[in-house]
Amino acid sequence: VQLVESGGGLVQPGGSLRLSCIASGIIFSTHTMNWYRQAPGKQRELVATITRYFTTDYLDSVQGRFDISRDNARNTVYLQMNNLNPDDTAIYYCHTLLTHSNYWGQGTQVTVSS
């Protein structure tokens, strides 16, 4: 299983970024896909989830600003992040489960700063 994220970077407060995660080694369409983040000195937290049925769930602090989506034809999950603020600064990780094992991408840095 391989998960490869991209799309991070430096953005000003109020700006937007779209993260992508390309998955291989799994039957992508059957998997729930997650985005987590970890800020310096803090625990990793679940930001957004999308199931195989396209149902979604979000961390309260990103609800209404972030949008998770998936393209099963491209084995890709996206995280559209709008109205970013400095508290969103973190490394963002793509995640899925396969037979009770956790799989993570390498992470992509998102920095929100003026």
Side-chain angles (χ1 to χ4, degrees), residues 37 45 47 58-66 85 87-88:
R37 69 185 181 188
E45 61 182 356
V47 176
Y58 297 92
L59 181 68
D60 284 349
S61 62
V62 309
Q63 181 78 47
R65 300 188 296 121
F66 289 12
N85 63 64
D87 289 340
D88 297 316

Side-chain angles (χ1 to χ4, degrees), residues 37-46:
R37 69 185 181 188
Q38 188 165 19
K42 294 189 176 181
Q43 299 266 24
R44 193 171 294 191
E45 61 182 356
L46 177 60

Side-chain angles (χ1 to χ4, degrees), residues 22-96:
I22 300 175
S24 59
I26 57 173
I27 303 172
F28 181 78
S29 62
T30 67
H31 280 254
T32 291
M33 300 299 298
N34 305 301
W35 284 99
Y36 282 77
R37 69 185 181 188
Q38 188 165 19
K42 294 189 176 181
Q43 299 266 24
R44 193 171 294 191
E45 61 182 356
L46 177 60
V47 176
T49 295
I50 186 164
T51 71
R52 61 185 295 181
Y53 305 110
F54 291 81
T55 57
T56 59
D57 197 15
Y58 297 92
L59 181 68
D60 284 349
S61 62
V62 309
Q63 181 78 47
R65 300 188 296 121
F66 289 12
D67 180 61
I68 188 170
S69 60
R70 64 191 299 159
D71 184 340
N72 289 341
R74 291 181 167 82
N75 283 9
T76 302
V77 59
Y78 303 98
L79 186 67
Q80 176 67 42
M81 305 185 295
N82 300 321
N83 194 20
L84 285 160
N85 63 64
D87 289 340
D88 297 316
T89 295
I91 300 174
Y92 285 70
Y93 298 92
C94 184
H95 168 269
T96 194

Side-chain angles (χ1 to χ4, degrees), residues 1-19:
V1 178
Q2 189 173 20
L3 304 173
V4 180
E5 302 101 333
S6 62
L10 173 64
V11 63
Q12 292 187 340
S16 298
L17 283 174
R18 188 176 82 153
L19 307 183

